[in-house]
Amino acid sequence: MAKVNLSFEEMWQRIISCDRNYDGCFYTAVKTTKIYCRPSCKSRKPKKENVQFYKTKTEAENAGFRACKRCKPDIELAPQEELVSEVISFLTCNYKEVITLESLSLHIGVSPFHLERVFKHVTSESPRTFLEKVRVEKAIHLLKNTDNTNLEISLKTGFKSTSTFYKAFKNSLHTSPSEYRKQWRSSQI
């Protein structure tokens, strides 16, 4: 499974937004109910102080938690959905890496053509477009929570150059990273 490089706060935000893109990257366990869930679970959200995160289902189960009956994190998906879930998990957890369709298909164990066709069929976008969205999402988090420069953010989020970063950011949000940060900070006053 893909490695998880998320802070507690980032994982908390993912479960609050029921982000299915992180399913398989980590599991959320609630101390008071002794239940663990996928990040996308639609169940009522627990208090932050009652939450623990685990990298695998096995870790959560070994810690004494049982699978949620609503999101069923212990049940495997249909083959196409499983493939897409694995790709999404890998891209989401390894967004900083240089990832090509060929390297991704080698990791997943299918041909590049099959991988892209199935991914587009299930998600209506290419793996590359999805990866770009993940990187922009990470950049937004850094713009809001750090004083890193745009260059530092572009490098930390896996963009090969600042021009690629600016273009992806502008295509996604119709504004530059600097303008986004300025608007966000002014809205926090």
Side-chain angles (χ1 to χ4, degrees):
M1 186 53 65
K3 60 186 177 191
V4 179
N5 291 323
L6 302 171
S7 68
F8 181 92
E9 195 57 41
E10 285 177 298
M11 289 188 280
W12 175 252
Q13 289 305 315
R14 297 303 117 219
I15 67 165
I16 293 302
S17 62
C18 300
D19 195 336
R20 73 181 204 124
N21 297 332
Y22 288 80
D23 286 358
C25 284
F26 65 89
Y27 295 87
T28 305
V30 183
K31 297 178 214 173
T32 53
T33 61
K34 290 300 210 184
I35 294 172
Y36 75 95
C37 301
R38 300 174 193 266
S40 63
C41 188
K42 301 285 188 192
S43 294
R44 195 180 81 176
K45 298 305 171 210
K47 290 183 180 177
K48 197 173 189 177
E49 62 267 15
N50 293 332
V51 171
Q52 290 178 309
F53 295 107
Y54 292 94
K55 292 179 183 177
T56 65
K57 300 182 261 193
T58 306
E59 285 179 12
E61 289 167 358
N62 289 342
F65 295 94
R66 71 169 177 78
C68 173
K69 291 182 180 176
R70 184 168 187 175
C71 69
K72 299 178 180 164
D74 55 334
I75 306 273
E76 297 302 322
L77 304 171
Q80 282 192 338
E81 291 175 343
E82 183 65 37
L83 176 95
V84 170
S85 178
E86 193 174 340
V87 170
I88 286 174
S89 177
F90 182 81
L91 293 175
T92 303
C93 295
N94 295 286
Y95 64 92
K96 292 179 184 179
E97 308 299 321
V98 175
I99 301 171
T100 63
L101 186 59
E102 289 73 26
S103 66
L104 181 60
S105 67
L106 277 173
H107 174 78
I108 301 298
V110 297
S111 75
F113 174 76
H114 179 70
L115 174 82
E116 187 157 39
R117 186 172 49 83
V118 169
F119 195 87
K120 277 185 176 179
H121 175 73
V122 173
T123 67
S124 300
E125 63 186 353
S126 70
R128 180 181 174 156
T129 304
F130 177 83
L131 177 59
E132 194 171 272
K133 285 181 180 179
V134 170
R135 288 175 172 165
V136 168
E137 177 185 294
K138 299 298 181 182
I140 289 169
H141 177 78
L142 292 173
L143 286 166
K144 288 179 177 179
N145 297 297
T146 70
D147 288 325
N148 291 341
T149 65
N150 289 339
L151 172 61
E152 292 169 326
I153 290 172
S154 72
L155 296 174
K156 286 182 179 183
T157 54
F159 287 99
K160 292 179 185 175
S161 68
T162 51
S163 61
T164 308
F165 169 56
Y166 280 95
K167 183 179 177 185
F169 201 91
K170 194 145 185 133
N171 285 343
S172 181
L173 299 171
H174 308 292
T175 187
S176 72
S178 299
E179 277 299 311
Y180 180 86
R181 178 181 269 165
K182 190 164 47 169
Q183 290 170 0
W184 187 81
R185 286 189 174 162
S186 67
S187 71
Q188 299 302 303
I189 297 175

